[in-house]
Amino acid sequence: MEGNLKKGLFFGSLVGLAWGLDTVLMGLVGNNTILKTAASSTLVSAFLHDGFCFFWLLIVALFRKELLGVFKLLKTKKGKVTCLAALVGAPIGMSGYVMGIKYAAPAYASSLSVIYPGIGAILSYFILKEKLSKRAIIGIIISLLGSAALGYSKVDLNMYPEFYKGMAFTLLAVLGWASEGVIIGYAMKKIKDEEHIKASPQQFLTIRYLTSFVTYALIIMPLVGGYDTVVKLTTNKEILFFPGIAILGAITYLSWYKAVDYVGASMGTALNSTAAFWAIIFSSLILGTEITPYLAVCGLVIILGVFIFAVDFKEFFGKNKKIKK
């Protein structure tokens, strides 16, 4: 079990690092001249990000000979629920997040976004009637207080004139990602006749990004005239950033599933929150964002709250000791 713990901590840490870097690079690409002047810029960025994520996951499915299983899964109730949840978590969540990155800067958007597990737990309490422990409640309160403090940051509004709009869009992303989990949780409770269906987490993830890609491609992009911007981007070498950034997005989710497999959903979710830390670091190194003491403290408080909410350390390490014996 000790080996599994080390692997779980490695993949969980990789999740935070990859998503933090993904976030900052999306902010960097958003400064592209074409995207800065296009009204649909953020939606185009989200479309290209999730589209290339789907492409890489498709390659992984082909390599693992799981692609046929993906299409079979689409025909099941569980697959259809994954599509429904993805409509909330992918286009809405990712679009809100990219807009948050654009208006509020990656470090702030990422720090706020990691509260989505706590919001998901609150929604589950009211909708799914799932109980919350005192520890979970304390963790959620701490992370929400850190988020509220972050929202009242003394940001240089000359540099980020639409900072509060960005934070509002990030909250939309938080709500989308939290609702995605609740929809899946609700459906899985109701689906009682598909226990025999075996599918890998990667297959569900491929369906998620397929749903996102199709929604953007057939509905959102035509509505906002986004394809004109995509055509313009094809003449610019910076479009090559998107496939690379999407690799980070794919690594994020694949590593998260690996981490959950080795150390459980609670620790995997908590380690995911370290993306806020890495986003702050990479924002400073790549974008030159100033790491103020206030930003650093707020980010750490939010991450601490998520860890307290997600992980019962006595139980977690207690189980590891018992299994090790």
Side-chain angles (χ1 to χ4, degrees):
M1 182 62 189
E2 186 177 1
N4 282 350
L5 176 60
K6 289 180 179 179
K7 290 177 182 177
L9 292 175
F10 168 77
F11 281 111
S13 300
L14 183 59
V15 173
L17 190 151
W19 189 244
L21 183 56
D22 180 298
T23 298
V24 173
L25 291 179
M26 285 297 287
L28 180 64
V29 172
N31 289 323
N32 173 282
T33 305
I34 295 172
L35 287 174
K36 285 187 78 172
T37 56
S40 58
S41 61
T42 50
L43 294 174
V44 169
S45 294
F47 163 66
L48 291 172
H49 181 278
D50 279 12
F52 280 114
C53 273
F54 169 63
F55 172 77
W56 292 123
L57 288 167
L58 203 62
I59 297 298
V60 171
L62 279 169
F63 181 76
R64 294 183 174 178
K65 298 180 180 179
E66 293 184 346
L67 188 57
L68 183 61
V70 171
F71 291 110
K72 287 182 178 179
L73 186 60
L74 272 170
K75 298 178 181 179
T76 67
K77 293 178 185 176
K78 290 183 179 179
K80 291 172 183 175
V81 165
T82 302
C83 291
L84 176 63
L87 288 173
V88 179
I92 294 176
M94 192 62 195
S95 296
Y97 191 51
V98 173
M99 289 182 179
I101 293 170
K102 177 180 179 179
Y103 295 121
Y108 291 94
S110 180
S111 296
L112 181 59
S113 71
V114 298
I115 67 170
Y116 80 87
I119 300 301
I122 295 172
L123 293 176
S124 295
Y125 174 80
F126 288 106
I127 298 172
L128 304 181
K129 308 302 179 184
E130 292 183 354
K131 294 182 179 179
L132 284 172
S133 66
K134 290 182 180 178
R135 173 183 52 79
I137 293 172
I138 291 172
I140 291 171
I141 291 173
I142 290 174
S143 64
L144 289 178
L145 287 174
S147 301
L150 191 70
Y152 284 101
S153 300
K154 293 181 179 179
V155 180
D156 183 356
L157 294 179
N158 291 319
M159 184 175 293
Y160 305 111
E162 297 180 283
F163 173 78
Y164 295 108
K165 180 198 272 189
M167 298 300 271
F169 275 119
T170 305
L171 285 175
L172 177 65
V174 167
L175 187 59
W177 290 334
S179 300
E180 179 181 14
V182 173
I183 291 171
I184 291 176
Y186 179 81
M188 296 310 170
K189 279 189 173 184
K190 296 294 182 181
I191 297 172
K192 302 295 184 182
D193 59 342
E194 290 189 346
E195 286 82 0
H196 62 287
I197 294 174
K198 304 298 180 184
S200 70
Q202 289 83 2
Q203 288 174 316
F204 281 104
L205 182 59
T206 303
I207 289 177
R208 181 189 190 270
Y209 275 110
L210 169 62
T211 304
S212 177
F213 174 66
V214 170
T215 303
Y216 276 118
L218 299 183
I219 301 175
I220 298 175
M221 295 297 285
L223 282 175
V224 300
Y227 284 119
D228 290 338
T229 304
V230 173
V231 170
K232 291 178 182 177
L233 277 173
T234 57
T235 63
N236 191 305
K237 64 181 181 180
E238 288 190 24
I239 195 173
L240 297 176
F241 275 100
F242 285 100
I245 296 171
I247 290 177
L248 290 171
I251 288 173
T252 296
Y253 276 95
L254 292 173
S255 297
W256 185 69
Y257 283 132
K258 282 285 188 181
V260 168
D261 183 40
Y262 286 124
V263 294
S266 59
M267 180 62 84
T269 299
L271 289 169
N272 189 15
S273 71
T274 60
F277 166 79
W278 288 111
I280 291 173
I281 298 299
F282 286 128
S283 287
S284 176
L285 294 175
I286 298 173
L287 302 179
T289 304
E290 181 186 2
I291 304 178
T292 65
Y294 191 86
L295 170 61
V297 170
C298 287
L300 289 173
V301 168
I302 293 170
I303 294 173
L304 175 64
V306 174
F307 265 87
I308 293 172
F309 151 72
V311 184
D312 184 334
F313 285 96
K314 288 184 179 179
E315 181 181 346
F316 177 77
F317 287 108
K319 282 182 180 179
N320 284 339
K321 287 178 182 179
K322 289 178 182 178
I323 294 173
K324 187 178 176 182
K325 289 179 181 178

